[in-house]
Amino acid sequence: MRKPLIMLLSILFSMSVLAGCSASSSGSQASGHEPNLEVSFTEGSALKSAFTDSGVSGMTGVLENAQLRLFMDEATGGIAVKNLSDGTLWYSNPLDREADAKASGDNKDLLSAQLKLDFYNNLGQVSSVNSYTDSVAHKQMKLELTPEGVKVFYQFGTTAATAEDLPMKMGKERFEEKIMSKMDKTGQRTMKIAYTFDEENGVYTRNDEALKGLQLERTLKGFEKAGYTEEDLQQDIAENNLSQTKPAPRIFQLAIEYALDGDQLVVKVPAADIRYPADYPVNDISLLSFLGAGGSKDSGSILVPDGSGALIHFNNGKTRYPAYKQAVYGVDGTMETTDAYAQQQEVKLPVFGLIREEGAMLGIIEQGASLATINADTSGRLNGYNYVYPSFTLIAKGDLTLTSSDQNRTLPKFQQEPPKTDYVVRYAFLSGAEASYPGMARYYQSYLAEHGGLPEAQPAASAEAPVNTPFYLELVGGITKTKHVLGIPYQSLEALTTFEEAQSILEQMKQRGIDHIKLKYAGWFNRGLDHKVPDRLSVDQAVGGSKGLNRLAAYAKEQDIQLFPDVALLRANQTSGFRINQKASRMLSEIPAAVYPYNMALNRRDRSFTPAYIISPSRVGGYVDATLKEIAPFQTGGISLRDMADQLNSDFRKNQEIDRSASEQISVQSLEKITGQSLRILADGGNAYALPYLSDITDAPVSSSRFKLEDEEIPFYPMVVRGYVNYTGKPFNLSTFTNPRQYILKSLEYGSGLYYEWMYAPNYKVKDTDFDNLYAVNYEQWINQAADMYTEVNTVMKNVQNQRLTGHEKLADGVYKSTYGNGMSVIVNYNKTAVLAEGRTVEAESYITGGEQS
């Protein structure tokens, strides 16, 4: 029995060493990011005042322009911004924070901080430091003027000893001789609190729960007085077979730069100034968590970019529900480790904001958006304030499981290199009518247009020159289906809609008055809907082959129908011809990133299915080139991108890492290449970085996730993109809408096009396949309803096609008013009873139009 036990201990010890090496190697490879312990924080000269302002006491006026003034608190690093147009002041930290009765301990200190860092130890456990407790309190902050503005340097933590400098265990005789014998009675009492005697093993064990504050200080002084040295620590580690190592100083260094640009405050955290110990990689950086925070007696709302957008009202009392936290651009597929299904909308726009009675603040993440998370909460949970802020992921963590002789151990595995991007947030301060969510949407739209973040505006309709609203149609070509010969299974390609049948459907739609059709044709090449990777394109014979596609493209051009053949470029849905080990992204555990389909009945991913694999971003460019080369002869005029504007994934392949910010750039380069071939792009999702290249968006966010903390759902996303990019939500016949009236009203309120997904084949064709979610998409059962819906919606929307959605307001529960750029308005009533709105009756589940059109 003894030999296996020794072997097991040996294995566990080796794994614990590996855990330490894993943490150290991940940090040590991040060259240039070790803290510079030679930095001096000796007090220098005070900042030179650029102006004086009697309305802001205790702060130095350091920057000003025609719109804004910036003030610095030289003692704490806090800032204040004054909007000169209305005199409002926006403080980085609440002025009355000391009187906050709700916050205590660390939460109290955070109210005075501008930065918070979450970091890992070598076991993957998370701790945090903040700029107040761990920098300002130690007088480790310095300010300097730069040509652009002001730069604040912070050092978090000190080189002072901690509990980790004490042995985790020490033998009884050695502890009593080496330590206790050197103590007086007071010192011995201190040591008996710091260490607990384990009679069974004959050792004294460190009591970490007790080693805090004054007790820790006394224990450290006692060990020092006893003459305990570094060599003694190493001896105790060896004698007790401890995995403990001498801890590196937990020193972190960071800087914030502040500048003014017109009516915007520009805040930057330069990547070059982020320094951390190899043993303590930084996970997240939270920036200006309480800038503009509203108090418990203030009125206002928090704007969060959840799907179409949502408002969280100040002091809503919903403290029993989780705080708001969503990653910008959704979850990184290489980091998704849970099989649980979370049905929620994703963040497509890297923005957030606060709306207060005296004005509004809009935050725009300009750099580092792909690594950002938006956080928000209301008063009453941790403190008495309502606030929203961004945090940025620096080093990601995964888990590596080692198995030996039926023994498993999970160890942390860290990202090797931090991203090379700076983190930049622009804060705009809005007044009057613009201090509202429509005003913030208009502001962000203008910002994007000025910075190349949107395509050129499209010619807008008017009462004199109407333009038909789009009708989006996705047709499913072929799918793979398991068949049997002599009991042996094989994969066969089953045609659901041939090119010829697609033309027949289009002809029937035209006969019923459906116009401005935008056709997304999926499942047309490389063996169906879940096609093989597009290293070459072979049009499936089952749906009509190359000749059939040519005929469909010619018909579409003749009938002024826009054709968008669909392709997936970021995910390998079939592994045939795809070398997984070479071309799939790697997770931090070093295994290929597999994606299993969701099983809605089980509410989780179903691992009984064959998975798809995330394609490494390094391989995407080659697939884009091949796709463009082989689709060109068909002269389709457009292409549908299933995933490039909707997903953003890393690759943690050892020594060849591609983080999310680099992956975003690869997607942008690919989109530029596609538009360079004069192809219109229709894409699912519509993440912000893709918007300049898109003509149309399907599966655009036209609702929020309706988290319990949220109070109102708003069309922020539609208000930003309308007039530049056409969009629609999910297909009606595959959506959560069961009532066509509600779908029509949503289209009128949000300015979105109609969308259906169909196939020509009868529904039973998808039974017992991996595509049984298409159980009700046979076109015959929907086409007449679709024609009626289109006629009704187009009668209204043709007058505002390509017009911006400039206004939106809630008139009553279930009653909303949308105003378009030409002055036309639509009031929709989702209720089952008639309502009176602006002096007019709006029937149940109906709408009225108004406004002066120009």
Side-chain angles (χ1 to χ4, degrees), residues 11 102 159 181 214 260 269 284 332 421 565 610 731 768 788 805:
I11 291 169
K102 183 67 180 178
T159 55
S181 66
L214 185 59
L260 299 181
V269 177
D284 283 332
D332 187 329
T421 182
T610 301
D768 299 326
D788 291 341
L805 180 55

Side-chain angles (χ1 to χ4, degrees), residues 251-433:
I251 302 296
F252 305 89
Q253 292 166 345
L254 206 62
I256 304 182
E257 296 178 4
Y258 299 102
L260 299 181
D261 184 7
D263 61 350
Q264 300 164 3
L265 168 70
V266 183
V267 182
K268 176 197 240 182
V269 177
D273 291 322
I274 303 172
R275 298 181 176 275
Y276 53 88
D279 289 334
Y280 299 104
V282 173
N283 174 223
D284 283 332
I285 300 172
S286 298
L287 179 64
L288 296 178
S289 300
F290 297 98
L291 179 58
S296 58
K297 296 182 180 179
D298 292 330
S299 297
S301 299
I302 302 168
L303 167 70
V304 292
D306 171 23
S308 64
L311 297 178
I312 302 170
H313 296 325
F314 285 6
N315 311 310
N316 62 15
K318 298 180 179 181
T319 54
R320 65 184 182 277
Y321 300 122
Y324 174 84
K325 184 173 185 176
Q326 272 192 299
V328 175
Y329 306 143
V331 177
D332 187 329
T334 61
M335 293 297 298
E336 192 168 10
T337 57
T338 178
D339 285 341
Y341 179 66
Q343 188 171 3
Q344 64 182 46
Q345 298 293 318
E346 294 181 348
V347 172
K348 301 296 183 184
L349 302 176
V351 295
F352 56 92
L354 285 167
I355 304 168
R356 300 179 60 169
E357 288 183 329
E358 62 270 31
M361 178 192 79
L362 175 66
I364 302 170
I365 303 175
E366 192 169 63
Q367 292 184 48
S370 55
L371 304 164
T373 296
I374 308 299
N375 310 268
D377 205 357
T378 58
S379 66
R381 188 194 315 275
L382 302 177
N383 52 61
Y385 297 96
N386 306 273
Y387 53 98
V388 60
Y389 65 94
S391 57
F392 301 93
T393 298
L394 194 71
I395 298 293
K397 181 189 79 73
D399 293 318
L400 180 65
T401 301
L402 301 180
T403 303
S404 177
S405 301
D406 298 325
Q407 297 291 327
N408 294 336
R409 185 173 181 185
T410 300
L411 305 173
K413 183 74 189 306
F414 300 105
Q415 180 178 337
Q416 289 178 291
E417 289 284 346
K420 295 179 174 59
T421 182
D422 295 332
Y423 304 96
V424 179
V425 183
R426 285 180 177 264
Y427 296 89
F429 304 95
L430 311 180
S431 305

Side-chain angles (χ1 to χ4, degrees), residues 618-638:
S618 64
R619 304 286 182 169
V620 169
Y623 291 136
V624 171
D625 291 340
T627 298
L628 291 176
K629 178 182 177 182
E630 301 209 21
I631 203 174
F634 299 108
Q635 300 182 27
T636 61

Side-chain angles (χ1 to χ4, degrees), residues 308 702-704 706 713-715 727 737 740-752 797 816 818 820 828 830:
S308 64
V702 291
S703 69
S704 70
R706 297 172 183 169
E713 183 177 272
I714 59 173
Y727 54 91
F737 284 96
R741 295 303 307 165
Q742 300 285 316
Y743 187 81
I744 288 171
L745 297 178
K746 178 65 77 168
S747 179
L748 297 176
E749 181 193 359
Y750 278 38
S752 56
M797 300 306 288
Y816 301 90
S818 298
Y820 292 89
V828 299
Y830 289 95

Side-chain angles (χ1 to χ4, degrees), residues 49-53 61-71 82 84 259-262:
S49 178
F51 59 88
T52 58
D53 190 320
V62 291
L63 293 174
E64 69 174 335
N65 60 22
Q67 288 99 353
L68 300 176
R69 281 182 167 180
L70 176 66
F71 304 82
K82 187 172 187 177
L84 296 177
L260 299 181
D261 184 7

Side-chain angles (χ1 to χ4, degrees), residues 481-503:
K481 187 172 185 177
T482 302
K483 295 185 177 181
H484 297 81
V485 173
L486 300 177
I488 301 173
Y490 70 98
Q491 291 291 305
S492 172
L493 190 63
E494 183 88 9
L496 300 182
T497 311
T498 66
F499 294 129
E500 186 175 344
E501 291 166 345
Q503 182 172 329

